[in-house]
Amino acid sequence: MDQSTAVVKSHIEKPFVFRGVDFKRWQQKMLFYFTTLNLAHCLTSEGPELPVEGDIPDEIIKASEAWTQNEFLCKNYILNALDDSLYDVYHIFQTPKQ
């Protein structure tokens, strides 16, 4: 096939659906997938903590909101990559680390 007519393939491909076998392979593919989406930090580190009292700077509030949104995306990307029978078991978890 001529390079000028070749279809450019997206570098972000959805990992295969996990059906209960080859967990380590699926786990590594998901970690790579999250890395390409710039979301891997949600799985490997803790989110920012908001101070209990006092004035909270805007940048800390924005960082916390961004973390919450990214964590939501991670959780749902993981659930979307599970077989339906596994989705029914794991959809109740609140965070992707659980």
Side-chain angles (χ1 to χ4, degrees):
M1 182 184 296
D2 187 300
Q3 288 183 352
S4 62
T5 60
V7 177
V8 177
K9 197 172 189 181
S10 174
H11 71 281
I12 300 177
E13 293 183 17
K14 184 178 167 186
F16 66 92
V17 174
F18 180 63
R19 291 185 169 82
V21 294
D22 294 327
F23 173 73
K24 285 293 187 184
R25 178 180 297 149
W26 177 81
Q27 183 182 40
Q28 287 299 326
K29 287 184 179 236
M30 287 300 292
L31 185 57
F32 178 73
Y33 181 61
F34 287 134
T35 301
T36 61
L37 295 173
N38 199 24
L39 294 172
H41 63 277
C42 290
L43 301 174
T44 58
S45 61
E46 295 295 322
E49 292 186 24
L50 292 175
V52 178
E53 54 187 54
D55 289 337
I56 303 171
D58 286 342
E59 61 269 1
I60 293 178
I61 292 173
K62 288 180 183 180
S64 178
E65 289 172 352
W67 181 270
T68 302
Q69 176 66 22
N70 288 341
E71 193 172 53
F72 171 81
L73 290 173
C74 279
K75 175 189 172 200
N76 287 289
Y77 279 133
I78 290 170
L79 289 174
N80 195 34
L82 294 178
D83 187 59
D84 289 342
S85 62
L86 293 171
Y87 180 94
D88 293 338
V89 174
Y90 290 103
H91 76 279
I92 59 172
F93 291 101
Q94 299 299 315
T95 66
K97 289 183 183 180
Q98 289 177 329

